[in-house]
């Protein structure tokens, strides 16, 4: 049974998805997370129309990198194809977290990259965190090459923002990708609050 074989990966996905739901980084049934199955061209990914607090062995499936279901039943998240495109081309991606966290998304509305507002962010985000404008609620295929080429050329980049949509982080495992998602949100929040503080100091 695949759910027993990958019980540790499933547990880590359940834990991190529930955590981001509790933090209100992903409300409703959007967002997505996935992990690469080591040594295979397969990933474990959330089904479509499943909320982060509902992620469990029953709401995850195994697909190939083109979204074809290999284990479990149901349809993968609409955003699974972007995850697959990243796994195909970016070996350092072992797990991907995508959520619509409010401050990071708000920041992307008006900037072309994340400002590292804390020393911690500069330490953990090893390279530029760009904003991509993909004009849709789920990243259309025609934007995949732009995103994967950027990630391939900037091997320090472990996250990016989607204007009008949300944030994506990648790491060796889902726990680390989730830490980056939290840091992305915190960094954007501090940037926005810092701008307000600077404005009040200059009054
Ligand atoms: Zn999304």
């Amino acid at each position: 049974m695949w759910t027993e074989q990958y019980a540790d990966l499933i547990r880590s996905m359940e834990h991190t998805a529930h955590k981001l739901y509790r933090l209100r980084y992903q409300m409703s049934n959007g967002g997505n997370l996935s992990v690469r199955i080591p040594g295979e061209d397969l990933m474990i990914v959330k089904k479509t129309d499943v909320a982060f607090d509902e992620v469990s062995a029953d709401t995850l499936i195994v697909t190939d990198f083109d979204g074809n279901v290999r284990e479990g039943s149901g349809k993968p998240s609409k955003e699974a194809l972007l995850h697959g495109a990243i796994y195909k081309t970016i070996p350092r991606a072992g797990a991907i977290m995508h959520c619509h966290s409010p401050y990071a998304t708000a920041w992307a509305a008006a900037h072309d990259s994340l400002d590292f507002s804390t020393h911690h962010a500069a330490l953990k985000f090893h390279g530029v965190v760009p904003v991509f404008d993909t004009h849709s609620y789920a990243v259309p295929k025609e934007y995949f090459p732009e995103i994967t080429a950027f990630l391939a050329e900037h091997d320090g980049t472990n996250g990016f923002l989607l204007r009008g949509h949300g944030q994506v982080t990648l790491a060796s495992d889902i726990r680390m990708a989730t830490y980056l998602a939290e840091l992305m949100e915190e960094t954007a929040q501090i940037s926005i609050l810092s701008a307000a503080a600077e404005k009040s100091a200059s009054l």
Side-chain angles (χ1 to χ4, degrees), residues 30-76:
N32 193 19
L33 70 164
S34 65
V35 301
R36 184 199 292 273
I37 294 180
E40 314 238 19
D41 288 341
L42 296 172
M43 59 182 170
I44 304 175
V45 63
K46 183 176 83 62
K47 289 190 206 180
T48 192
D49 296 332
V50 169
F52 266 31
D53 66 333
E54 297 165 342
V55 168
S56 72
D58 293 335
T59 55
L60 295 168
I61 48 177
V62 176
T63 74
D64 64 20
F65 294 157
D66 294 316
N68 300 303
V69 179
R70 297 296 190 83
E71 300 281 1
S73 61
K75 277 171 56 180

Side-chain angles (χ1 to χ4, degrees), residues 71-112:
E71 300 281 1
S73 61
K75 277 171 56 180
S77 160
K78 294 163 201 73
E79 288 150 341
L81 292 178
L82 173 63
H83 294 211
I86 293 172
Y87 291 130
K88 274 185 201 175
T89 50
I90 309 297
R92 68 180 182 279
I96 298 171
M97 177 58 85
H98 163 59
C99 64
H100 307 163
S101 62
Y103 283 98
T105 309
W107 180 261
H111 300 86
D112 293 327

Side-chain angles (χ1 to χ4, degrees), residues 11 21 30 59 62 68 72 81 84 111 123 127 153 157 167 175-176:
R11 227 183 338 268
Y21 190 89
T59 55
V62 176
N68 300 303
L81 292 178
H111 300 86
L123 181 73
E153 282 163 23
T157 292
Q167 58 144 304
R175 188 173 64 99
M176 295 307 297

